[in-house]
Amino acid sequence: MSDARVHRTVHEVITAAPAGVMYGLIADATRWPLFFQPCVHVEQLDFDGSRERLHMWVTAGETVKSWVTSRHLDVERLRVEFTHDLPAAPTRSMSGVWTVVPLGEYASKVTLEHAFTVAGDVPADVAWVKRVTLENSRAQLDRLAELAEHWTRLDDLVWSFEDTVRVEAPGDPVFDFLYRVRDWPAGLPHVNRLDLVEDEPGVQVMSMGSLSIDGGAHGTESVRICFPGAQRICYKQTRTSPLLTAHTGEWTVEPDGAGVILTARHHVMLCEENIESVLGEGTDAVAAGRHVREAMGQAGLSVLRHAAQYAIDSVRVL
């Protein structure tokens, strides 16, 4: 390990927002899937106020990689240092630091540094890690610059909501329905096409064609991270409708006395530039958010109700 060659990369961007705002976006990694395109899901494993451990799933080229990372958050110095505890192959080690430097009241510079080693220092593997690190770093920094332009309006553009259904049935068949997404076209009236790849158990990459509540057809692509033991499925749409910049969500099945509570959670960020072209001239972010909440709520409830009925029918068969 001590003889492994250390490769280093440095990337930076100037943003049109206060340094404190930029640091906050970097420090709150649980919201990264909504803000950063490569980031699919983040689970916070431990946190004591300044040090935390995270399990992260990220798209890397055509694959989905995951790792556990430890971070030290230094709010006074506006720095976040990180080390991958369990690096994804072919890397043997990966560490780095985010640094935010104020450039006045409403501007700042964000720098992202990486240092990594590769097993055997194989040139092809080194080149792949450098390319993916470059692509993801540039994507994150460019996204921070875009968010900076909207930082005063993020509260209007970011929406979170959920819907629930309670059913007196066991949770296993409910989760089974949600997990076996390949069968949705046969069981859900609004889904007319679904292609699924699951090279690693519990990591699903899917493309879905569906009908909206107004009868219009649209397609989405998603990555789903499934937790059968906890009966949770977290997902991120990697291709969204034009009205959205990002959409993440979660399906959960929780015990409740003699039954279970099914919940569909959604987190979305509106694409401000497309609101009027999609919903009509004069439509503001609040009206667009309400429209999205209604449409997604209807679709989510449809899935939950069919999952509940599937569980009830399964019990009757038994």
Side-chain angles (χ1 to χ4, degrees):
M1 182 71 176
S2 59
D3 295 332
R5 181 184 175 189
V6 178
H7 303 271
R8 303 181 187 277
T9 64
V10 181
H11 304 91
E12 63 182 37
V13 70
I14 305 298
T15 68
V21 172
M22 291 294 98
Y23 174 81
L25 291 171
I26 295 166
D28 188 0
T30 59
R31 300 186 75 190
W32 279 16
L34 191 62
F35 294 141
F36 296 138
Q37 182 63 29
C39 194
V40 173
H41 180 61
V42 177
E43 291 269 312
Q44 188 180 64
L45 305 177
D46 302 296
F47 184 52
D48 66 4
S50 62
R51 296 186 182 275
E52 66 179 349
R53 291 177 67 245
L54 305 168
H55 194 167
M56 310 182 75
W57 286 262
V58 174
T59 56
E62 300 298 320
T63 64
V64 178
K65 297 286 188 178
S66 72
W67 56 76
V68 175
T69 184
S70 295
R71 303 205 311 168
H72 176 215
L73 281 61
D74 188 340
V75 65
E76 293 185 0
R77 299 172 63 195
L78 300 179
R79 285 169 56 92
V80 177
E81 300 174 1
F82 60 89
T83 301
H84 292 189
D85 300 346
L86 300 172
T91 57
R92 289 183 62 183
S93 67
M94 176 73 77
S95 62
V97 59
W98 293 86
T99 307
V100 184
V101 177
L103 298 178
E105 188 176 1
Y106 298 112
S108 53
K109 181 175 73 171
V110 180
T111 302
L112 175 55
E113 303 173 55
H114 286 90
F116 64 88
T117 60
V118 174
D121 211 36
V122 178
D125 290 342
V126 172
W128 184 86
V129 175
K130 283 185 176 181
R131 177 174 60 81
V132 170
T133 301
L134 169 63
E135 291 174 352
N136 286 356
S137 296
R138 278 268 50 101
Q140 287 181 299
L141 292 172
D142 290 347
R143 186 67 185 131
L144 281 174
E146 293 174 9
L147 290 169
E149 296 178 0
H150 300 278
W151 73 272
T152 59
R153 303 188 297 284
L154 283 181
D155 287 344
D156 290 334
L157 298 175
V158 175
W159 291 67
S160 296
F161 49 89
E162 65 179 47
D163 294 287
T164 62
V165 169
R166 187 184 183 280
V167 57
E168 292 194 2
D172 288 346
V174 175
F175 182 81
D176 183 57
F177 181 91
L178 297 173
Y179 182 84
R180 289 190 301 103
V181 68
R182 195 190 304 271
D183 297 336
W184 279 13
L188 293 173
H190 71 281
V191 177
N192 54 27
R193 176 187 59 80
L194 199 140
D195 301 312
L196 180 70
V197 176
E198 188 171 354
D199 292 332
E200 177 184 345
V203 180
Q204 301 177 332
V205 180
M206 56 179 271
S207 173
M208 184 174 75
S210 59
L211 300 175
S212 59
I213 56 177
D214 60 4
H218 66 280
T220 58
E221 296 176 359
S222 306
V223 177
R224 308 203 318 167
I225 310 299
C226 306
F227 303 93
Q231 296 196 324
R232 295 171 57 223
I233 297 175
C234 301
Y235 66 88
K236 176 175 180 172
Q237 286 190 352
T238 52
R239 181 166 70 92
T240 65
S241 70
L243 190 56
L244 302 178
T245 295
H247 174 201
T248 66
E250 180 180 17
W251 306 97
T252 63
V253 183
E254 300 174 286
D256 180 49
V260 291
I261 295 177
L262 322 181
T263 303
R265 294 187 178 89
H266 302 273
H267 309 285
V268 302
M269 183 171 180
L270 302 174
C271 182
E272 189 171 28
E273 292 78 7
N274 290 346
I275 290 176
E276 291 192 351
S277 64
V278 174
L279 297 179
E281 187 176 351
T283 306
D284 61 13
V286 174
R290 289 172 179 164
H291 170 87
V292 170
R293 197 268 177 269
E294 174 66 17
M296 286 189 177
Q298 292 269 4
L301 280 171
S302 175
V303 174
L304 294 182
R305 288 166 180 156
H306 279 80
Q309 189 60 52
Y310 175 84
I312 292 171
D313 293 343
S314 298
V315 172
R316 287 173 180 168
V317 171
L318 294 175

